[in-house]
Amino acid sequence: TAAAIATAVVLVGTPALLPSLAGAQPAPPPTSTPFRTPDTDACPHRDVPPPAIDASEVPAPGDAEPRPVPVPIETVGGDELAACGVITVAGAPALPPDISASGWVLTDLDSGAVIAAKDPHGRYRPASTIKVLLALVALDELDLDRTVVATAEDAAAEGSAVGIGAGGVYSVRQLMQGLVMASGNDAAHALAVQLGGLDTTVQKMNTKARELGALDTRTASPSGLDGPGMACSPYDLALIFRAAMDDPIFAELVATESVPFPGYPKDASKPDNPSRPDMPGVPVNPDLPLNEDRPGFTLASDNALLFNYPDALGGKNGYTDDARQT
């Protein structure tokens, strides 16, 4: 029979350093320290993620610094997962030597059993993987057939975008496709508005995390952009993703390779400046940006595993300067 379906969650990845090949010549002696997986045995991230490298998590003037998410007295998932180094079952084969993630977990998607892990409850920044939690909240509360007219604020959301535009008309299902398939922060913003606004949505996401038992998690934004108090763990991401895969709509979304996606009308607040008839895409007035209707386009998933890994069911990746690859 086929191997058990599993979900792998990786947080804070850095590229492995691969040795160069020297043809028939003997390899030169190493000139630098060989790559080594980050050492988490001493639980450096038990309470908070690694220090930020930018100002994204500095509280707004007048706001207090959020206290760390409390560490549960009893380890969620069992006492064995309280360790911060590598955790495997007795008799397991050696791990590959070049795993680059600080924290990760491999679990059975059906039962939730942990097969192997490293720093499973360490606190890290989830980046856009936290959009899975937003998707759960949206699927709970929103009618997928509801239509939404996007605003300029939606379209101007910071970071990755699916490409919605002010005045564009989208169904909630299409916004969910933009959220899950293309990691669109513009889609996350539009969905958060439908859920009551950004602050309300963050509260709902954190409530949902607690309901699931994801007690290492506190999101600071609907999209996964870093903010004060942002934290998650490999274990929690596996828990959240497993809950999401129980929803057939989410499972369909993350397994979709491509779908048609709507365009949007030109910006009525800006001077009309269409393309030259003889050169589409080149503005008639070169001193002004193009201002014309954006046609619909094909939206493709940004999850390379769907296209390159046989029988992949889907997943969610993310990146910020502080989170790195997740």
Side-chain angles (χ1 to χ4, degrees), residues 236-316:
D236 280 10
L237 281 183
L239 194 68
I240 292 166
F241 191 79
R242 182 168 171 251
M245 289 296 284
D246 278 341
D247 188 303
I249 299 299
F250 180 87
E252 176 188 330
L253 290 170
V254 296
T256 301
E257 293 186 1
S258 63
V259 290
F261 201 78
Y264 52 85
K266 62 185 177 182
D267 189 341
S269 67
K270 295 180 179 178
D272 190 27
N273 192 32
S275 296
R276 288 174 47 176
D278 59 329
M279 298 180 68
V282 177
V284 170
N285 183 348
D287 296 326
L288 293 174
L290 281 174
N291 188 17
E292 57 186 0
D293 291 342
R294 164 73 181 266
F297 57 96
T298 298
L299 169 63
S301 172
D302 64 4
N303 179 7
L305 287 176
L306 275 183
F307 302 95
N308 299 316
Y309 194 84
D311 301 321
L313 300 180
K316 186 75 196 75

Side-chain angles (χ1 to χ4, degrees), residues 161-175:
V162 60
I164 69 177
V169 179
Y170 308 90
S171 68
V172 169
R173 180 186 291 272
Q174 288 167 331
L175 292 176

Side-chain angles (χ1 to χ4, degrees), residues 32-311:
S32 61
T33 303
F35 173 80
R36 178 173 175 164
T37 301
D39 187 347
T40 56
D41 288 353
C43 300
H45 313 308
R46 175 179 170 82
D47 298 295
V48 294
I53 64 172
D54 57 27
S56 61
E57 297 182 6
V58 176
D63 289 350
E65 182 82 28
R67 300 182 66 134
V69 178
V71 176
I73 296 174
E74 296 185 3
T75 303
V76 180
D79 292 342
E80 295 87 349
L81 298 182
C84 301
V86 172
I87 304 165
T88 57
V89 297
L95 295 176
D98 56 353
I99 297 175
S100 60
S102 292
W104 53 266
V105 65
L106 181 69
T107 74
D108 185 276
L109 185 59
D110 295 317
S111 69
V114 174
I115 299 165
K118 180 175 182 289
D119 201 16
H121 284 291
R123 274 58 187 294
Y124 298 94
R125 297 172 182 87
S128 286
T129 55
I130 207 65
K131 286 185 171 83
V132 178
L133 189 59
L134 173 60
L136 279 171
V137 173
L139 289 169
D140 281 346
E141 297 193 21
L142 300 180
D143 180 352
L144 292 172
D145 295 324
R146 179 197 294 186
T147 56
V148 175
V149 179
T151 66
E153 290 76 19
D154 297 331
E158 178 186 355
S160 59
V162 60
I164 69 177
V169 179
Y170 308 90
S171 68
V172 169
R173 180 186 291 272
Q174 288 167 331
L175 292 176
M176 293 289 291
Q177 290 168 337
L179 178 80
V180 173
M181 295 174 61
S183 203
N185 292 356
D186 47 358
H189 190 284
L191 288 167
V193 170
Q194 298 303 307
L195 289 165
L198 271 63
D199 290 343
T200 297
T201 300
V202 166
Q203 292 174 6
K204 290 179 177 181
M205 291 169 69
N206 287 327
T207 297
K208 186 68 172 179
R210 290 192 296 272
E211 290 173 354
L212 294 174
L215 304 185
D216 303 318
T217 297
R218 178 172 58 205
T219 189
S221 67
S223 65
L225 288 175
D226 295 317
M230 179 74 89
C232 195
S233 68
Y235 183 91
D236 280 10
L237 281 183
L239 194 68
I240 292 166
F241 191 79
R242 182 168 171 251
M245 289 296 284
D246 278 341
D247 188 303
I249 299 299
F250 180 87
E252 176 188 330
L253 290 170
V254 296
T256 301
E257 293 186 1
S258 63
V259 290
F261 201 78
Y264 52 85
K266 62 185 177 182
D267 189 341
S269 67
K270 295 180 179 178
D272 190 27
N273 192 32
S275 296
R276 288 174 47 176
D278 59 329
M279 298 180 68
V282 177
V284 170
N285 183 348
D287 296 326
L288 293 174
L290 281 174
N291 188 17
E292 57 186 0
D293 291 342
R294 164 73 181 266
F297 57 96
T298 298
L299 169 63
S301 172
D302 64 4
N303 179 7
L305 287 176
L306 275 183
F307 302 95
N308 299 316
Y309 194 84
D311 301 321

